[in-house]
Amino acid sequence: MSYLEYQVQTVPTGIRKVLHVNWALLVLLTAVSSFGFLMLTSVAGGDVSRWAEPQMKRFVLGVIAMLAIGLVPLYFWRSISGIAYLVGLVLLIMVELFGEVRGGAQRWLDLKFILLQPSELMKITLVMALAAYYDWLSMARVSRPIWVIIPVIMILLPTAMVLKQPDLGTAILLVAGGGIVMFCAGVSWWYFIAVTAMVAGAVAAVFYSRGQDWQLLKGYQYDRIDTFLDPSRDPLGTGYNITQAKIALGSGGWTGKGFMQGTQSRLNFLPEKHTDFIFTTLAEEFGFVGAFSLLVIYGLILFFCILSAANNKDRFGSLLTLGVAATLFLFFAVNMSMVMGLIPVVGVPLPLVSYGGSAMLVLLAAFGLVQSAHIHRPRSR
Amino acid sequence: MRRTPKESDEASGLVTRRSVVLGGIQLAFVGILGMRMRQMQVIEADSYRLLAEENRINVHLIPPSRGIIYDRYGVVIAENAQNYRVVIQREQAGDVEAVIAKLRRLVELEDRDVEKALENRNSFVPITLADQLAWEDIAEVALNAPALPGITPEVGLSRHYPLGADFAHIVGYVGPVSQRDLDKQEDPDPLLKIPEFQIGRIGIETKLEGGLRGRAGTKQVEVNAAGRVMRELSRVEFTPGDDLQLTIDHGLQNYAQTRLADESAGSVVIDVETGDLLAMASAPSFDPNLFVKGISSKNYNGLRDDIYKPLFNKTVQGQYPPGSTFKMMTGLAALRGGVIGEKETVFCRGFMPFGGRRFHCWKRGGHGSMDFNNAITQSCDVYFYEVANRLGVDKLAELCHEFGLGQRHDVPVSAVRPGIVPSTKWKAQVRGERWNPGETLNTAIGQGDVLASPLQLAVMTARLASGKAVVPRLVKSVNGAEVPLEAARALDVPAHLMELARKAMHNVSNGSRGTARRARIVAEGFEMAGKTGTSQVRNITTAERARGVTRNEQLPWNRRDHGLFVAFAPYDKPKYAIATIVEHGGGGSTAAAPPSRDILLYALYGDVPPLEAYPKEQRERIKVQHEEMQLRPRLQPEPKATRA
């Protein structure tokens, strides 16, 4: 169960751990965040203090947390996985009971010193719990129905609560993130094929239920779907955001309009330009070159995570690494698809770039777990 | 749970395989995102760039400044005055109600304007709260600016007529564009949609609107998503409207308006050589500035219901039977037609029997033997009945057309009317009836169907005086470029006959038996030649005669005769001609001849005429009259601003 099964002497201890930190990952995360600082300065019209500075402070805090978490032995994190998951659940319930309502959604928990968004935390604790679960489960049982239902329940419990807030984006992320961990753990392909078929059926049901008295989604969510299918239907209403986002993106061209020269951004045609739509400002001001660079850096982060996981004999460590990487992937893939008009607008921020405290801290903390898995990986011989 | 190393390796291998699959899927998705970026940012970039430009750039119009109108000496008649107004930007005002309440203590606000300001959807668009404010008010607002957030005192341009009522009928006035104006035009000038843009409503302002308006400039501005202007990108300056110089002399115009002020009258002074109109007075008049600001219904109803019809331009819109002023036409036509000799006489016994009834002369007792000269001088009706009857109405009509009667003179003021010169053809066309020979007799003395405006009578007199077909001209120059004068052709009337007519008119004014002798000019070289006219509005009825009403003055005002007078001066070397009508003024010799003389004298002297020009016995009275007239001193032309 622990790395004690392997050659203990090859696992670094004490101050030598620092030498084994995954520096490439740290550099790449810093690069992504720097894109964020730059764009937050731009959308504030050159005012660093408005968004960029608090974001930098959180980044520093997050990196310290990441290194601290990374230096803690992995077995500690494995041992608290179950508790962390339960704490996450309790916090979600508390949000339901005492949460702050903002913009039509009940997502925040006022802990006096910080405004916490438990759904952010849940994305990571779910991955931890699932990784621990599969670490514990014997290989023979992985695809047995009874042992498949347990993680499915573990995923659906928080998902249901998040959906109730309502927060469609996070719900999708939880299901997809959990599903990816299950997939990596080796659950039979057939389950995924069956689930895909069921999802297709559910989507059909969602559309069919529209206007019926058992309507499954809220009106605004249907509107978003409609607008996605045909944004020109309501160019000044719901479709406005996505239309303007696409104009900003497309008008950036090869090299963009230059730092703080984005007309769509500066003249307020873009919605929520410091949060969910920050990528459009980047694409407008730095063009294809800038936008594609960011995509490549994200890709490299995924690459280094998968590389680390593949080389990690510890099942918990590799599943955790893959789960965190998957979460990052889902974040940026959904966000970019959204602003480029590939999928409906769901409120998902661009990881480490969008302005937001909880998301950044939680994500950097999660990469702390990845670092811990990397540092404490068992070395053969 | 403990695992064997073999089991662990197996598990680890599975994770590695699955992670490679996962990585592949993720890479594929990243690839899709990259392709999409390339699609939008490289391949379709141009169309998105265009959309972004359309988003951010708005084109605004810059209203041109309207052309200035000057009199013949360069004195300003219509200008663009600074218009002080107060605008509000709700966005900056904060508590709008409170700010407006504070402003109300300083400036009078109309509820209508306030409502408009509060209803406006875009809170950053400035809305006018009060317009046409006095400088004191605007200064007060500016002083209290710190206490009035969102309120800005502004200066715009608005039309102003410094000479007020004098030019109301000639220049007219401007007013704001109405929805009806926009509906009327197929593709209205976008300028018209600018709030508070003014267009000509009547007079020269509307007739020459095209030139006066100028062309709009444009500025490209960058706007944000809310539509607020962020900065100006480029600018094309406007082309100002054409400046017009009129042929009118502002001093003469003022004198004529003032001289006729107590009457319902019209008078036109024309240069007999060039056709320049020196004055076109229509009394009473009104202040056009009232209309620019938007006249109150009380004031408007007052003007509309006034029996002296101040809104009616008597000089061109008024058509009157010319009465005896028409007799030169009848006489000349007969002489030209050869139906009567120059010295040949007709015997007047007070009436002429025709078609079973009597056509009376104004002098019941009759004039005795009358030749052309005497018939004009004493205005004998019977002479003209006789010669017209010999000639026939169609030949008379021909001559009238030669003198510009029955045709619409092309003068750029509103409601110019053509008058009527009756003929057999005219009657067949207009009334569908045959000509009745008795009507020729009525026509001969300027009654019946003949109608003429003072402008037409002035042109007729000018043509009599010069012998040339002068054409009236009201615009002297446009933007400093003189409107070319066409050389007037000679009239198709033998010169010696014209001279005969002029001599007869000289007799009217100066001869011992002349009807206008009292209103003569005694100044050497300035002597006047004229002709009086009285046109019946209505016959005195038998019932009235029975009540003892035999004289005009005993009738109610609106049924009294119109008094007319036409004249030119100096007799020897004609320079100016005048035609005056005094509605319901009674006889032409008493109502129309004296003011005509005064106005003509002003034109000759270029200022208030000296008493020496008047007959001795009248000088005392004229002196008082001049003292009582509230004339505006003649103005000096402003140095013209050179145009860029």
Side-chain angles (χ1 to χ4, degrees), chain A residues 135 183 187 244 264 267 340, chain B residues 3 18 36 41 55 225:
Chain A
D135 184 52
F183 174 79
V187 175
Q244 295 301 340
Q264 287 285 101
L267 301 172
M340 287 195 281
Chain B
R3 259 179 227 138
R18 288 274 170 116
R36 176 71 175 171
Q41 298 195 282
N55 256 347

Side-chain angles (χ1 to χ4, degrees), chain B residues 188-247:
Chain B
D189 189 338
L191 258 181
L192 300 183
K193 289 175 184 165
I194 295 177
E196 274 140 77
F197 190 74
Q198 297 174 327
I199 57 167
R201 286 266 154 249
I202 66 159
I204 286 177
E205 292 277 29
T206 183
K207 289 287 170 184
L208 301 180
E209 170 74 25
L212 284 168
R213 186 188 293 169
R215 275 204 313 282
T218 53
K219 60 178 174 188
Q220 283 197 318
V221 293
E222 188 176 76
V223 296
N224 71 1
R228 185 220 296 261
V229 174
M230 306 305 281
R231 66 190 167 125
E232 193 173 299
L233 298 173
S234 71
R235 187 183 187 99
V236 178
E237 284 304 334
F238 63 78
T239 313
D242 292 340
D243 290 343
L244 301 180
Q245 188 179 16
L246 304 187
T247 55

Side-chain angles (χ1 to χ4, degrees), chain A residues 65-112:
Chain A
M66 177 172 77
L67 292 176
I69 291 169
L71 295 176
V72 171
L74 191 62
Y75 68 82
F76 173 77
W77 300 117
R78 175 165 36 203
S79 61
I80 65 151
S81 290
I83 295 160
Y85 176 76
L86 288 177
V87 168
L89 270 187
V90 168
L91 287 173
L92 275 179
I93 293 166
M94 280 170 67
V95 164
E96 189 58 42
L97 298 178
F98 322 106
E100 293 267 314
V101 179
R102 284 190 182 183
Q106 195 167 10
R107 294 179 191 169
W108 285 268
L109 201 57
D110 191 355
L111 297 182
K112 301 303 166 200

Side-chain angles (χ1 to χ4, degrees), chain B residues 324-444:
Chain B
S324 302
T325 59
F326 188 72
K327 284 174 179 164
M328 278 83 77
M329 297 296 103
T330 312
L332 277 177
L335 293 172
R336 185 175 75 154
V339 296
I340 192 163
E342 289 167 34
K343 296 289 177 193
E344 191 182 338
T345 59
V346 169
F347 190 80
C348 170
R349 49 184 166 148
F351 64 89
M352 172 172 158
F354 188 84
R357 54 172 281 217
R358 286 177 172 184
F359 284 81
H360 285 280
C361 186
W362 65 270
K363 193 169 175 187
R364 295 268 149 177
H367 287 98
S369 282
M370 290 276 122
D371 65 358
F372 173 79
N373 183 35
N374 281 323
I376 293 282
T377 311
Q378 297 179 41
S379 205
C380 172
D381 292 339
V382 170
Y383 175 89
F384 295 100
Y385 293 150
E386 175 60 34
V387 298
N389 188 41
R390 290 184 200 170
L391 182 70
V393 72
D394 289 340
K395 284 202 172 143
L396 171 56
E398 251 173 55
L399 186 99
C400 289
H401 291 136
E402 191 74 10
F403 281 84
L405 298 175
Q407 72 176 65
R408 218 183 142 274
H409 289 305
D410 186 19
V411 173
V413 296
S414 293
V416 178
R417 293 172 72 177
I420 295 173
V421 171
S423 65
T424 53
K425 200 171 135 207
W426 169 83
K427 197 165 179 198
Q429 274 177 358
V430 178
R431 301 242 172 104
E433 290 169 16
R434 283 194 54 208
W435 184 259
N436 176 354
E439 293 173 73
T440 308
L441 274 59
N442 272 335
T443 305

Side-chain angles (χ1 to χ4, degrees), chain B residues 307-604:
Chain B
I307 52 166
Y308 278 25
K309 293 175 289 184
L311 295 176
F312 186 79
N313 185 355
K314 281 141 198 151
T315 58
V316 295
Q317 195 175 4
Q319 305 184 108
Y320 309 90
S324 302
T325 59
F326 188 72
K327 284 174 179 164
M328 278 83 77
M329 297 296 103
T330 312
L332 277 177
L335 293 172
R336 185 175 75 154
V339 296
I340 192 163
E342 289 167 34
K343 296 289 177 193
E344 191 182 338
T345 59
V346 169
F347 190 80
C348 170
R349 49 184 166 148
F351 64 89
M352 172 172 158
F354 188 84
R357 54 172 281 217
R358 286 177 172 184
F359 284 81
H360 285 280
C361 186
W362 65 270
K363 193 169 175 187
R364 295 268 149 177
H367 287 98
S369 282
M370 290 276 122
D371 65 358
F372 173 79
N373 183 35
N374 281 323
I376 293 282
T377 311
Q378 297 179 41
S379 205
C380 172
D381 292 339
V382 170
Y383 175 89
F384 295 100
Y385 293 150
E386 175 60 34
V387 298
N389 188 41
R390 290 184 200 170
L391 182 70
V393 72
D394 289 340
K395 284 202 172 143
L396 171 56
E398 251 173 55
L399 186 99
C400 289
H401 291 136
E402 191 74 10
F403 281 84
L405 298 175
Q407 72 176 65
R408 218 183 142 274
H409 289 305
D410 186 19
V411 173
V413 296
S414 293
V416 178
R417 293 172 72 177
I420 295 173
V421 171
S423 65
T424 53
K425 200 171 135 207
W426 169 83
K427 197 165 179 198
Q429 274 177 358
V430 178
R431 301 242 172 104
E433 290 169 16
R434 283 194 54 208
W435 184 259
N436 176 354
E439 293 173 73
T440 308
L441 274 59
N442 272 335
T443 305
I445 59 162
Q447 296 284 348
D449 292 315
V450 201
L451 289 177
S453 67
L455 174 66
Q456 285 175 319
L457 293 177
V459 171
M460 174 192 87
T461 312
R463 289 182 182 188
L464 268 172
S466 67
K468 287 185 283 190
V470 289
V471 176
R473 182 174 83 148
L474 186 56
V475 179
K476 193 170 187 302
S477 69
V478 177
N479 276 341
E482 190 85 8
V483 174
L485 271 175
E486 280 171 48
R489 67 178 171 84
L491 290 176
D492 186 18
V493 179
H496 69 281
L497 296 182
M498 297 287 279
E499 186 52 44
L500 206 64
R502 284 195 285 268
K503 197 173 271 172
M505 286 172 75
H506 182 259
N507 262 337
V508 171
S509 287
N510 303 288
S512 56
R513 311 189 75 159
T515 51
R517 182 180 159 73
R518 265 178 57 79
R520 67 188 182 278
I521 294 173
V522 298
E524 192 75 32
F526 279 2
E527 278 173 20
M528 181 168 80
K531 181 73 191 82
T532 59
T534 304
S535 78
Q536 277 180 357
V537 173
R538 223 187 118 173
N539 289 325
I540 295 173
T541 61
T542 327
E544 281 163 343
R545 220 176 278 280
R547 283 208 309 271
V549 178
T550 52
R551 289 177 48 207
N552 212 6
E553 296 81 61
Q554 291 165 297
L555 286 167
W557 177 81
N558 64 357
R559 288 176 45 204
R560 289 181 204 162
D561 296 339
H562 295 319
L564 292 100
F565 190 69
V566 299
F568 62 88
Y571 168 68
D572 299 329
K573 208 168 172 282
K575 192 153 172 51
Y576 301 120
I578 187 169
T580 303
I581 167 117
V582 179
E583 285 189 345
H584 310 296
S589 56
T590 52
S596 297
R597 172 190 57 184
D598 295 348
I599 295 165
L600 211 43
L601 271 173
Y602 188 107
L604 290 167

Side-chain angles (χ1 to χ4, degrees), chain A residues 218-237:
Chain A
K218 297 223 166 181
Y220 82 96
Q221 289 164 328
Y222 277 111
D223 284 347
R224 283 178 173 186
I225 292 168
D226 282 348
T227 310
F228 164 65
L229 294 175
D230 183 12
S232 62
R233 203 174 58 106
D234 185 14
L236 293 177

